Structure formats: structure tokens, C-alpha cells
Amino acid sequence: MVCKTRKLVRVTKLLLAGLTVICVSWIASVNEWHARVRWRNRQVDNDHGISTMRTIIAYSQDIREEMDRPSPVRCDRLPAFPEVPSINRTWTADSSNYGTWQRVTGTKVSIYSAFYDDRTSQPYIRILAFFHGRNASADQTLFCQTRSLDPNENSVEVVAAKPLEIWWHEWDVQSTDIDYPFLLSCPLTGPLNGPTLVSLVTEPCLDPTNAHPLKHSLKRNQQKRIFTICVKDLNFDKDISQNLIEWIETNKILGVDIIDVYIGNISKEIESILQHYRDAGFIRLFHVPIRNKPERSLWQRRRDHIITYNDCLYRNIQESEFIIPLDIDEIIMPKTANSLPELLKHLVKRGWNPKEYSAIMIKNVFFFKFMQKINKNYYNYKNKSKRYAKRDDVRIRYARSTKILDENNSVHLFDKNKLGNKNSVDVNELQVYYENYNSRCGHDMPTSKLMTHVISSAFISPIGFYSKSFMVTERVLTAFNHYPLASLGTSGFDGWPAPFKEVQLNHYKESCNATVVPECELYQRDVRLDRTALRLRKKLIEALSNSICT
């Protein structure tokens, strides 16, 4: 009888152990390492039949941290102290030390930067890296060796690194020879107390051949900035000086605190403008992680940009409440508020909660240059049957029957003389600013794009298509140029769609180019009279009158 009882107990223990393994495996499969987007408690408008993003249920932060408690590896000997390369990411006109990467010996992995992350009770080291080839992350386990730079401390902590691909497999399924952006996360047994060095190795106790110093986090009670704009890989051979100045001054008016710009290839004119604003403390300049090369495909360049955006994110996790990924042809335009900080207060009343959501999603509105040449109720071109978009030679047909809609979607005939009726400013009141600019610079002030581009596409991009977002740095794990890809403690990210009545993304483009060609017919079918930016007219003209001369 005793034997039968013991046998029954043994079988019961085995069954419970097996059930535990199955449950833990299931939990592990639904975690932050499989990034997907999640919308909660809100129905997103999608009347046009365009699929946006998936919905995945999250799990608790407590479970995430329980799973990520580090299991340090013991070594028989202390790994050798690595050579620490001198890397300066700050851009200057005469510097050549750009985008320095370090290879992990014996792998196809290259490391760009490393950061200390103590946003949760479980501290991490986050490493931005490229893996060459599909499924490269499954080929080999990597380990983080972390050591203090204090000469009195002689120890190394070694833990396995968890790889997270910063990409969605639905994008670009055809390419084979690829560099994939990854975030490698190494949980620590405790917080860092001073300058620290991290290295990646293929075996726990190997002597490292790479090293990244970690910037210690700011004190928790230190005042953060609110808004930091991240500008990816600035590459312009032509002179865009006036557009750049207007974009910078507009963001200053709107209450942006600082702009982080990653420099690729720019003209001397742009260089002088950026240095002017850097000297004024409004812009920080960094080298791009990867130089723009013609042989890299469009999809690969998009992967390259992801390293830039995540470098900007992790630079700011302790410095700024939000990062905003923007290009210099995009302006986030409040409609009822006078600034972005004021807009936040409006959005809180509408349901925004930074403790519940990790990003505020903002709908995109295209202001194509060709749309500004309207005469009455059709596009006034010499050749009205066909046009070639200037940038990418994309052929688009424009119909004479195009409707002109006002802000209330009412059809009307376009009348340029009525543009100033709403948000208007007395021209004589502005004359002093034009005269001021002329006397300082010796020529007339260039025409403002924001003040002259008042015709937009009537088709508003659905959430998830060309949207931009305010990303909450306390919650975002990985980012790309439209919205987060993953957040801390969730299986995706909680995106909150901002009401279109409160804010929109003004997107100023020359033409309907290769990036939006599938939907060109939708975007050019009808147009709208959109005077949202005119409310900034007086402040912008005054700012431009005092800006750097071009």
C-alpha cells in the first residue's frame, strides 16, 4: 500500500512539473520579444477598408520582470579587460569618426551603442546591434560581460543577452541579403552605481574584443524636457535652407524643447544653419549610424534608420518625457491649442493617459505642392491629361471634376481672396517684420511654405498610415519612424489615437512619390481648404524676420 502511495505521489509530481513547463513556455511566447501593436478601449475610424495594425493581449509587468531575473554565469578566471575605443557620436563639420561599429568576434553581429535602462525595478543594459542575414539571431547565443570602471572593483557579471528584432516580418519578405536591427537586453542583478563597461561575447568567459562605456542615468528627481524631436539621417545635396529654417522656427513656436538631428550628407548652407541653432542650444547634432549608400535597397535603408531612431530614444529615456520622430517636411499642428504642451492638457481631457498608453497617434494630412496651383474647381495645368510627379516620375492623372472642400467638407469654388477670412492678420501689421528682415539680410524675406500651402488632400490618412506619434520614453522599448514597435511589459504597444479635431500632422510634399504611390488616386481625388497653420502666421513671420539670413 505504501509503495502504491509513493508511486502515485511521484506520478502527480511529474504531471505538475510538466504542466508548469507548459505554462511557463506559453507565457514566454507572449512577451515583449514579439512586438505587435495593440489598441485598447477605443474604436479607430477606418472607413476606407485599409487594414491597420493587430491587436494582441498583454501580460503583467510583474510576470515580465519575474521571467527576466538574471542568472549570472560563473567563470573560473576573470576575462581580460578589453581595449576601449574612443567613439564620439557628436557631429562636427571636420570630424570623420562617424557611425563607429564594433564586431562581435566569431559572429555576424555588429554593435552600435549601449545604454543603461532603469525604467523598471529590473534594470537592464540595452544594446543596439545589426545581425547579418535572416534568422541570424537563432544561430548563436550571446553573453553580456558587465564590469565597473572603478579600479578598486575587480569583478565581471555575465548574463545571457535576449535578442529582440526591431522589425515586423510582414515588411519586406523577399530580401535575402539583409542587415537586421536588433535590441539586445541584458538583465542586471542590481542597479549600476558608477561608470561601467559592457562587452558582448559568444562564450560566457571569453576575453572580449569589444567594449561600450555606459552613460549613468540622471537622478530621478531631475527635471525632464517635455518634447524632443528625432530627425533621421539628414541627406540633402540641394539647398533646402529656407525650408529648414522655417521648420525649426515653427517647432520652437510650438514648444519643442530640443531637436536631435543625425547628419549624413549636407551642403555647406545647411551646415551653417544647423551650427547656428546648435550654438543657440536648440539642436544637437550626431553622426548617422550608417552612411547612405546607393547600393543599399530602400528596405535596407529603412532598417538602417531604425538604428537611428532607437539611438535617439535611448539617449532620451532619462532626459525627455516624449520623443517625436519627424522629417523636416512634417509639422505636428494643434488645432485648438496654441502649443504642444497646451495640446497635451487638451488631450488629457479627451482620454489620454501616459500610464496606460505608450504613444499618441496623430493622423497625417498631405499638402502636395501641385495642389496649391488651383484655379476654381480643378487643377490648372498646361497639360491637364497627365502629369509626372517631379521627384519620382510617378504618373498621375488629374481630373477636371476635382471637388474643393472646406474644413466642414462642404463643396465650394476656390477663391484665393477668401483665404484670410479665418485666422487672418492685418498685412500692415506684418510689414515691420518684412522690413526688418530686408534691412538685416539685404533681400526680401522668402515666402513661407506654411502660409502659402493651404490646400490639402481631402483624404485623411487612417491611423497607422503615415501617422507620427508622441512616444512616451518611460514606456517604449523599441521604436521606428511612425510609432513604437514594442513597449515595456506588453506584447506590443498601447497606441492612443488623438482626436482629429485637436491635432493633425501637416505633411508637405512635392508630389505623390514612390512611398505613397499605391494610394495616389485616393489622395489626389479631392482637395480641402485647410488653414490650420495660418493661426501661427504672426508668430512665424516675426520669428523668420529675426532668423539667420539665407
mmCIF file of all heavy atoms in Angstrom, residues 322 413 492:
data_model
loop_
_atom_site.group_PDB
_atom_site.id
_atom_site.type_symbol
_atom_site.label_atom_id
_atom_site.label_comp_id
_atom_site.label_asym_id
_atom_site.label_seq_id
_atom_site.Cartn_x
_atom_site.Cartn_y
_atom_site.Cartn_z
ATOM 1 N N PHE A 322 8.822 62.840 -23.887
ATOM 2 C CA PHE A 322 8.391 62.316 -25.179
ATOM 3 C C PHE A 322 9.521 62.479 -26.195
ATOM 4 O O PHE A 322 10.295 63.440 -26.120
ATOM 5 C CB PHE A 322 7.176 63.082 -25.729
ATOM 6 C CG PHE A 322 5.928 62.983 -24.903
ATOM 7 C CD1 PHE A 322 5.674 63.894 -23.891
ATOM 8 C CD2 PHE A 322 4.996 61.984 -25.137
ATOM 9 C CE1 PHE A 322 4.525 63.821 -23.126
ATOM 10 C CE2 PHE A 322 3.839 61.899 -24.382
ATOM 11 C CZ PHE A 322 3.601 62.815 -23.373
ATOM 12 N N LEU A 413 -16.488 76.637 -54.638
ATOM 13 C CA LEU A 413 -15.486 77.089 -55.584
ATOM 14 C C LEU A 413 -14.365 77.769 -54.829
ATOM 15 O O LEU A 413 -14.599 78.505 -53.875
ATOM 16 C CB LEU A 413 -16.106 78.048 -56.607
ATOM 17 C CG LEU A 413 -17.176 77.441 -57.515
ATOM 18 C CD1 LEU A 413 -17.659 78.501 -58.500
ATOM 19 C CD2 LEU A 413 -16.643 76.238 -58.260
ATOM 20 N N GLY A 492 3.069 44.377 -27.274
ATOM 21 C CA GLY A 492 3.107 45.308 -28.386
ATOM 22 C C GLY A 492 3.189 46.706 -27.830
ATOM 23 O O GLY A 492 4.046 46.976 -27.001
#
